[in-house]
């Protein structure tokens, strides 16, 4: 008590608060014990997801998605490079905001997690048996894939709404022609139920708003997806002023079941579009890229009943449907109140045609006809809301830097707790599903300041864990995260742990360059390309000595890890390679390309400490001058060199 309360000046008050409830014991996970929850935190501008255990806050893995990762060779080895292909070329970076766990019957099922790439619009799917990126789909006709993925209750669709409206199709026009030329596409990406493969089923071509966030209906509202938008002023400069003029902006409510009817009826138009679809295959251990050429587009003015606009005060950010599916909670950043729309009232208003005009043929529903309730003056700068499954909602407030707990239906504020500092998103495990596991809420904060030891100008990102078991929230833990965490997802460990893959079966390895046994190891020259079929097992490579490479060659090391046991990856690195190591899981094959620039004899070695003789897991590659007569030879041990 004495030691802890004496640390830090600025946070003294809060530290005492955390201590008072014996917080430490509530987050203590004893050595060798497991956490109760997995938490998947977006890595923001790192393009990754950080996987943490809760309640301990321990970092378990960083999953590279829209990034390269030298630790794992992701984006550096030949097998994963295609995942990062786009119509703009190879893009090994993006800004990843909102992870979304797959759901079945409105409940998280632990199969996949999806996340958006914001900058060069993309959607990724991560397989939760391997915790690796399995698929990346580029989204055409989009300019900033922010309102995404926000999937439907059986993962029928992941959605991708554009943040920036852009000319569709893209063309060279004056920016001042915004009002006439710029449009906002809302994409519905179908997910194949067994493989998870994604495919753009249709896009809805909306007027030039900025679509910010989304939430799909559940239970009674299943079949609808709600997108917040700002900039109903449709301005294109100094938005901080110009897009804050109107008292209300809009939530776009899209009836995707209706859209399916229009698709069937042939109402969609084929728009030319260039985008990449990249899929990783666990049998070939390789990704492939396919160039896609068109999308189906629905035009709201030609499809009555497809989409409605719900007036929403004022510059709304997050939109979150409560677990009953009845309320659509909107956080107007500049509004004094939290506005909840009522789904049943919305249906009634549509039936009664309680409209207030339209924008480009999209009817605007009268505000009073759709309003379900307001939380009066709960705080400043509301951003996002999560639910606990006990009828309570938790809203993050950026400006007043707090989480406010309130009751859905009575709209009364029950509790508030400060966050350190300026919370963005917040997350309750399952808190966006029909079955929240409402034990904790995690605050994902934007500003760190004095919460950790300083590390130069750049500080770690800051998350905080609160218990929401009781009536009052209780701060339990601060823990650092990577990148800038936006949204996060949490799930009971038991929904993932039993399905976690331990190794890949060698007998099922269909990599075109697999070397299934040491006897199959070989080196093959095809002109300037040299293919090395290499194996690795504790604690040697086969072959470990190779001669006959020449300056100007392109050498492909196709390395197969022959181990068939849990937790025995091997690494592979060669001196002077301009990419990264390979980190190869048991039963897997990966390829490192090496273009030796100078003659000499260069070491290669295993980078992952794999056995007592890990350090001996090494070899040499001899490089001769271009055009020299050095023969291609390779061997292991005292064996006669193979030729
Ligand atoms: S958005 S706060 Cu992508 Cu709220 Cu991050
Ligand atoms: Cu293999 Cu170290």
């Amino acid at each position: 008590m004495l030691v802890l309360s004496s640390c830090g000046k600025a946070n003294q008050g809060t530290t005492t608060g955390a201590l008072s409830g014996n917080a430490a014991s509530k987050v203590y996970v004893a050595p060798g014990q497991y956490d109760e929850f997995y938490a998947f935190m977006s890595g923001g501008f790192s393009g990754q997801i950080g996987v943490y255990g809760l309640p301990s806050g321990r970092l378990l893995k960083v999953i590279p998605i829209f990034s390269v990762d030298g630790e794992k060779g992701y984006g550096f080895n030949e097998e994963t490079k295609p995942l990062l292909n786009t119509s703009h070329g190879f893009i090994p970076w993006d800004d990843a905001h909102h992870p979304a766990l797959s759901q079945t019957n409105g409940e998280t099922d632990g199969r996949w997690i999806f996340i958006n790439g914001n900058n060069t619009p993309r959607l990724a799917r991560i397989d939760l048996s391997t915790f690796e990126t399995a698929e990346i789909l580029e989204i055409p006709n989009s300019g900033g894939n922010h309102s995404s993925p926000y999937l439907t209750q059986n993962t029928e669709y992941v959605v991708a709404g554009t943040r920036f409206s852009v000319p569709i199709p893209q063309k060279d026009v004056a920016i001042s022609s915004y009002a006439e030329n710029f449009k906002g596409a809302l994409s519905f990406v179908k997910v194949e139920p067994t493989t998870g493969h994604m495919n753009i089923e249709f896009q809805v071509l909306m007027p030039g708003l900025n679509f910010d966030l989304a939430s799909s209906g559940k239970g009674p509202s299943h079949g609808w997806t709600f997108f917040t938008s700002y900039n109903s002023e449709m301005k294109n400069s100094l938005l901080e002023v110009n897009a804050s003029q109107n008292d209300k902006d809009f939530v776009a409510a899209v009836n995707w079941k209706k859209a399916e009817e229009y698709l069937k009826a042939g109402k969609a138009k084929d728009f030319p579009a260039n985008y990449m679809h990249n899929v990783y295959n666990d049998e070939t251990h390789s990704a492939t890229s396919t160039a896609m050429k068109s999308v189906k587009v629905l035009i709201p003015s030609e499809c009555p009943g497809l989409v409605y606009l719900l007036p929403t005060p004022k510059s709304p950010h997050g939109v979150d449907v409560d677990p009953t599916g009845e309320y659509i909670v909107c956080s107007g950043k500049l509004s004094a109140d939290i506005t909840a729309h009522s789904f049943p009232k919305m249906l009634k208003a549509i039936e009664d045609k309680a409209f207030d005009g339209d924008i480009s043929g999209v009817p605007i529903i009268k505000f009073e006809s759709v309003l379900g309730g307001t939380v009066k003056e709960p705080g400043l700068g509301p951003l996002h809301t999560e639910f606990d499954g006990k009828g309570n909602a938790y809203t993050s407030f950026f400006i007043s830097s707090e989480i406010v707990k309130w009751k859905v239906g009575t709209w009364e504020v029950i509790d508030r707790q400060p966050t350190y500092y300026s919370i963005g998103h917040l997350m309750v495990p399952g808190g966006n599903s029909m079955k929240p596991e409402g034990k904790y809420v995690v605050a994902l904060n934007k500003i760190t300041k004095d919460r950790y030891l300083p590390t130069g100008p750049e500080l770690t990102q800051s998350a905080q864990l609160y218990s929401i078991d009781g009536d009052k929230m209780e701060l339990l833990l601060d823990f650092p995260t990577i990148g800038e965490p936006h949204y996060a997802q949490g799930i009971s460990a038991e929904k993932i742990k039993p399905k976690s893959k331990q190794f890949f079966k060698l007998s099922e390895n269909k990599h075109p360059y697999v070397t299934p046994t040491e006897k199959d190891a070989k080196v093959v020259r095809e002109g300037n390309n040299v293919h090395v079929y290499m194996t690795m097992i504790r604690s040697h490579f086969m072959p470990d000595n190779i001669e006959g490479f020449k300056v100007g060659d392109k050498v492909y090391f196709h390395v197969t890890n022959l181990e068939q046991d849990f937790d025995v990856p091997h690494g592979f690195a060669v001196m002077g390679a301009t990419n990264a190591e390979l980190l190869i899981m048991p039963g897997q094959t990966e390829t490192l390309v090496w273009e030796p620039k100078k003659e000499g004899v260069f070491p290669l070695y295993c980078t992952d400490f794999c056995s007592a003789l890990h350090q001996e897991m090494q070899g040499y590659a001899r490089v001769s001058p271009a055009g020299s007569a050095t023969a291609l030879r390779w061997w292991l041990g005292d064996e006669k060199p193979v030729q």
Side-chain angles (χ1 to χ4, degrees):
M1 203 52 194
L2 194 72
V3 176
L4 284 163
S5 57
S6 68
C7 75
K9 286 159 255 131
N11 17 354
Q12 208 165 23
T14 68
T15 318
T16 322
L19 278 174
S20 58
N22 199 10
S25 71
K26 292 189 182 162
V27 299
Y28 183 66
V29 177
Q33 299 295 303
Y34 295 140
D35 280 287
E36 188 182 347
F37 293 97
Y38 283 101
F40 298 88
M41 315 267 209
S42 72
F45 45 70
S46 79
Q48 303 164 328
I49 283 181
V51 185
Y52 298 79
L54 295 182
S56 72
R58 298 185 293 193
L59 176 63
L60 304 175
K61 182 171 182 174
V62 175
I63 306 173
I65 303 157
F66 307 110
S67 69
V68 290
D69 183 354
E71 184 198 28
K72 302 170 186 76
Y74 179 86
F76 290 107
N77 61 48
E78 296 309 297
E79 286 75 8
T80 53
K81 276 182 189 168
L83 284 170
L84 297 166
N85 285 340
T86 74
S87 61
H88 306 264
F90 178 78
I91 302 194
W93 174 84
D94 218 305
D95 183 16
H97 281 214
H98 314 124
L101 284 162
S102 56
Q103 295 185 12
T104 305
N105 298 325
E107 192 176 344
T108 56
D109 59 25
R111 298 205 291 164
W112 309 302
I113 191 160
F114 299 85
I115 193 164
N116 63 322
N118 207 0
N119 183 55
T120 303
R122 284 176 277 183
L123 260 174
R125 179 174 56 87
I126 292 92
D127 184 329
L128 291 180
S129 68
T130 58
F131 283 64
E132 277 168 18
T133 304
E135 185 172 358
I136 294 182
L137 174 67
E138 190 180 357
I139 308 293
N141 296 335
S142 177
N145 183 31
H146 195 254
S147 32
S148 178
Y150 300 106
L151 46 79
T152 56
Q153 71 178 30
N154 294 300
T155 320
E156 293 96 337
Y157 291 97
V158 290
V159 304
T162 191
R163 171 171 165 203
F164 305 98
S165 280
V166 288
I168 295 178
Q170 269 291 6
K171 57 186 170 204
D172 172 25
V173 294
I175 299 171
S176 57
S177 71
Y178 187 99
E180 82 216 51
N181 278 323
F182 288 46
K183 297 266 178 293
L186 304 177
S187 307
F188 283 73
V189 174
K190 196 145 205 173
V191 179
E192 204 286 322
T194 49
T195 61
H197 288 173
M198 300 186 286
N199 161 52
I200 301 175
E201 190 75 354
F202 61 91
Q203 296 188 318
V204 181
L205 202 63
M206 294 290 288
L209 305 169
N210 291 52
F211 293 95
D212 202 10
L213 284 149
S215 183
S216 288
K218 37 185 84 121
S221 51
H222 180 55
W224 292 77
T225 300
F226 306 93
F227 297 85
T228 45
S229 68
Y230 57 99
N231 196 17
S232 50
E233 299 82 355
M234 298 202 211
K235 289 293 186 306
N236 52 269
S237 183
L238 196 64
L239 260 60
E240 61 173 317
V241 176
N242 291 331
S244 305
Q245 299 302 310
N246 294 346
D247 182 49
K248 297 199 177 54
D249 290 282
F250 298 110
V251 165
V254 179
N255 183 342
W256 56 260
K257 287 202 172 155
K258 193 99 195 154
E260 290 177 338
E261 290 169 20
Y262 281 123
L263 273 189
K264 264 210 203 100
K267 281 278 183 190
K269 297 196 163 42
D270 284 306
F271 272 45
N274 285 314
Y275 58 106
M276 286 296 203
H277 183 204
N278 311 319
V279 182
Y280 186 86
N281 178 320
D282 264 346
E283 289 183 330
T284 60
H285 302 287
S286 309
T288 47
S289 291
T290 310
M292 310 295 285
K293 290 289 169 210
S294 77
V295 279
K296 297 229 173 285
V297 174
L298 292 169
I299 318 261
S301 58
E302 300 170 7
C303 302
L306 174 63
V307 41
Y308 298 91
L309 295 172
L310 322 181
T312 305
K314 174 174 188 183
S315 303
H317 186 57
V319 53
D320 299 283
V321 176
D322 85 307
T324 70
E326 184 174 347
Y327 292 108
I328 303 139
V329 177
C330 311
S331 301
K333 300 188 296 280
L334 304 177
S335 165
D337 305 328
I338 298 172
T339 305
H341 293 311
S342 152
F343 181 73
K345 283 185 80 175
M346 184 191 92
L347 291 186
K348 177 85 173 43
I350 292 170
E351 211 186 288
D352 297 348
K353 298 209 160 41
F355 300 143
D356 234 349
D358 70 281
I359 300 181
S360 312
V362 184
I364 302 171
I365 299 181
K366 286 204 170 90
F367 178 63
E368 307 73 40
S369 305
V370 76
L371 182 66
T374 18
V375 187
K376 292 271 177 234
E377 300 186 359
L380 294 178
L383 292 182
H384 298 281
T385 300
E386 290 272 286
F387 304 91
D388 65 3
K390 297 171 229 159
N392 302 308
Y394 301 79
T395 300
S396 59
F397 287 84
F398 176 82
I399 298 172
S400 52
S401 188
E402 59 188 335
I403 299 176
V404 173
K405 176 181 178 182
W406 51 275
K407 193 127 208 101
V408 181
T410 69
W411 320 110
E412 63 193 311
V413 170
I414 303 169
D415 188 23
R416 59 178 70 240
Q417 279 293 322
T419 58
Y420 303 91
Y421 301 94
S422 293
I423 180 173
H425 275 271
L426 75 181
M427 180 275 279
V428 173
N432 65 328
S433 73
M434 293 177 81
K435 300 236 177 65
E437 307 182 77
K439 194 165 175 183
Y440 302 107
V441 64
V442 178
L444 299 142
N445 300 321
K446 297 296 182 199
I447 294 167
T448 305
K449 298 288 186 199
D450 55 6
R451 297 301 284 186
Y452 299 94
L453 286 173
T455 49
E458 200 215 352
L459 299 165
T460 186
Q461 309 287 325
S462 161
Q464 295 186 289
L465 182 77
Y466 298 76
S467 150
I468 54 170
D469 263 346
D471 289 342
K472 297 266 160 210
M473 293 178 272
E474 183 189 7
L475 175 60
L476 301 178
L477 182 72
D478 278 19
F479 62 102
T481 71
I482 51 155
E484 182 196 43
H486 287 265
Y487 195 28
Q489 293 269 270
I491 183 171
S492 279
E494 278 314 312
K495 290 194 193 174
I496 290 182
K497 191 171 134 261
K499 296 185 268 191
S500 197
K501 199 168 200 84
Q502 301 210 313
F503 59 87
F504 299 96
K505 284 206 184 106
L506 197 53
S507 57
E508 291 169 4
N509 183 325
K510 297 201 176 83
H511 192 290
Y513 291 95
V514 63
T515 311
T517 72
E518 288 195 353
K519 275 203 220 66
D520 303 303
K522 60 185 173 183
V523 184
V524 178
R525 174 178 285 283
E526 293 164 1
N528 285 336
N529 292 336
V530 184
H531 292 274
V532 180
Y533 294 73
M534 183 184 261
T535 63
M536 56 196 343
I537 196 162
R538 278 161 290 180
S539 297
H540 59 265
F541 298 100
M542 169 64 191
D544 64 357
N545 278 225
I546 307 169
E547 296 188 343
F549 298 131
K550 287 168 199 162
V551 173
D553 279 351
K554 193 164 183 182
V555 180
Y556 294 82
F557 289 101
H558 307 288
V559 192
T560 301
N561 182 345
L562 298 180
E563 308 278 358
Q564 289 289 272
D565 202 355
F566 187 31
D567 196 22
V568 203
H570 293 284
F572 176 84
V574 59
M575 183 178 160
T578 53
N579 33 32
E581 64 161 5
L582 302 175
L583 186 68
I584 309 166
M585 299 305 126
Q588 205 176 34
T589 304
E590 285 190 0
T591 302
L592 181 134
V593 169
W594 181 48
E595 296 179 79
K597 299 275 177 331
K598 22 180 158 170
E599 59 201 65
V601 179
F602 300 99
L604 49 92
Y605 74 103
C606 171
T607 52
D608 188 332
F609 206 107
C610 49
S611 74
L613 297 172
H614 151 80
Q615 205 69 351
E616 282 74 5
M617 196 165 170
Q618 65 175 57
Y620 289 105
R622 175 179 166 194
V623 178
S624 302
S628 84
T630 314
L632 199 59
R633 287 148 50 96
W634 65 94
W635 65 93
L636 166 74
D638 296 329
E639 287 161 41
K640 226 170 132 263
V642 197
Q643 214 157 345

